[in-house]
């Protein structure tokens, strides 16, 4: 929704984060939420193909709308206003963190003939292992990302009136994933069904291999550099 404010798209427009003004950013995030609310309303009306029980269940339920906002989509000079906005608008934050940080680096480096978030299509694409030559450089990059996670966690946790919930990416892939997903749902003030993953389309679940060994070339040789991260 706010990808236009990531570093890459800004560079393509000949801009940097310092060029972003609050009025423009604020207008765009308000538009993003408005579009999602409109879609949710339209979905609630499009019940003609549903059973009566499904209609009753939908109409009697509360709905939350939201989107993924990346760290670099919030310019540093707008941070204070962003936090005030989140609190004033009663926005709940679910902070999703990939704790196996080296896998985030692998995702950035991983190449394919196309990029997709669709699991069915992803199975048809070829992904290479993450390649590395300088273990210390990888460890430094991992620590930098981990420090960024902590910085954001403290900002959001400590700011008055922001409803904040932390969840790791890995916990949503493990055997207790339904429990952790239900906790996320409840953190939004909603009722969580017993098996929340049963209601998620297969195209929205895990795309890649889950372990470092499966994603990183010569991971056994890299692992000693990552001690302490």
């Amino acid at each position: 929704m706010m990808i236009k404010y990531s570093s890459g798209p800004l560079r393509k427009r000949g801009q940097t984060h310092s060029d972003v003004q609050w009025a423009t950013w604020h207008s765009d995030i308000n538009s993003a939420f408005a579009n999602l609310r409109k879609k949710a309303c339209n979905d609630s009306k499009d019940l003609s193909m549903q059973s009566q029980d499904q209609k009753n269940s939908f109409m009697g339920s509360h709905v939350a709308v939201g989107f993924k906002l990346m760290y670099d989509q919030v310019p540093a000079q707008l941070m204070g206003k962003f936090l005030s906005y989140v609190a004033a608008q009663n926005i709940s934050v679910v902070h999703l963190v990939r704790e196996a940080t080296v896998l985030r680096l692998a995702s950035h480096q991983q190449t394919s003939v196309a990029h997709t978030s669709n699991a069915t299509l992803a199975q048809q694409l070829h992904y290479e292992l993450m390649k590395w030559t300088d273990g210390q450089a990888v460890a430094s990059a991992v620590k930098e990302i981990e420090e960024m996670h902590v910085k954001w966690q403290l900002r959001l946790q400590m700011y008055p009136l922001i409803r904040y919930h932390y969840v790791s990416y890995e916990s949503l892939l493990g055997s207790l994933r339904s429990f952790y997903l239900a906790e996320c749902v409840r953190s939004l003030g909603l009722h969580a069904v017993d098996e929340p993953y049963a209601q998620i389309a297969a195209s929205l679940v895990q795309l890649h291999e889950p372990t470092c060994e499966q994603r990183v070339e010569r991971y056994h040789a890299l692992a000693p550099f990552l001690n302490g991260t």
Side-chain angles (χ1 to χ4, degrees):
M1 288 289 183
M2 299 291 281
I3 193 171
K4 64 187 288 186
Y5 292 108
S6 291
S7 300
L10 282 172
R11 280 196 300 271
K12 290 181 179 179
R13 300 197 302 273
Q15 296 178 308
T16 66
H17 282 111
S18 61
D19 297 315
V20 179
Q21 301 297 313
W22 171 251
T24 304
W25 196 95
H26 180 245
S27 175
D28 284 341
I29 198 169
N30 279 341
S31 295
F33 277 115
N35 290 336
L36 288 170
R37 284 193 293 267
K38 181 178 179 180
K39 185 179 186 304
C41 290
N42 289 339
D43 288 345
S44 70
K45 296 173 184 176
D46 187 21
L47 298 173
S48 58
M49 301 301 292
Q50 304 294 321
S51 69
Q52 190 58 50
D53 286 343
Q54 288 172 314
K55 291 180 184 180
N56 293 340
S57 176
F58 190 98
M59 297 304 291
S61 64
H62 296 285
V63 177
V65 298
F67 54 90
K68 179 172 68 174
L69 184 68
M70 306 296 287
Y71 295 156
D72 75 339
Q73 292 168 8
V74 184
Q77 75 274 16
L78 304 184
M79 184 59 64
K81 291 183 177 179
F82 164 72
L83 294 172
S84 296
Y85 172 83
V86 172
Q89 297 298 317
N90 198 29
I91 295 170
S92 296
V93 177
V94 176
H95 188 190
L96 178 62
V97 173
R98 188 191 292 265
E99 293 181 344
T101 311
V102 71
L103 293 185
R104 179 177 173 185
L105 295 178
S107 294
H108 285 185
Q109 188 189 103
Q110 209 165 35
T111 58
S112 68
V113 295
H115 176 75
T116 178
S117 59
N118 184 287
T120 303
L121 179 57
Q123 292 175 354
Q124 303 170 19
L125 302 177
H126 172 66
Y127 291 92
E128 298 178 356
L129 294 177
M130 171 184 163
K131 294 179 172 57
W132 61 277
T133 55
D134 186 340
Q136 191 57 55
V138 174
S140 295
V142 166
K143 289 180 180 178
E144 183 177 344
I145 293 172
E146 290 176 345
E147 289 171 0
M148 181 66 71
H149 289 327
V150 172
K151 185 181 295 186
W152 272 89
Q153 184 177 5
L154 291 175
R155 284 171 177 161
L156 293 164
Q157 274 187 322
M158 302 303 292
Y159 198 91
L161 303 180
I162 288 182
R163 294 186 299 178
Y164 172 85
H165 182 77
Y166 176 98
V167 62
S168 72
Y169 178 92
E170 289 79 8
S171 69
L172 298 181
L173 300 176
S175 59
L176 295 177
R177 63 182 190 173
S178 287
F179 168 79
Y180 286 109
L181 182 57
E183 286 293 295
C184 289
V185 173
R186 282 190 282 268
S187 77
L188 302 176
L190 304 177
H191 172 71
V193 297
D194 292 335
E195 294 293 335
Y197 265 85
Q199 299 187 21
I200 296 178
S203 62
L204 299 180
V205 296
Q206 183 182 4
L207 300 181
H208 308 299
E209 295 85 353
T211 67
C212 298
E213 289 82 359
Q214 292 173 304
R215 298 279 301 282
V216 180
E217 187 175 74
R218 297 180 295 114
Y219 180 73
H220 65 283
L222 177 62
F225 291 97
L226 302 179
N227 288 338
T229 66

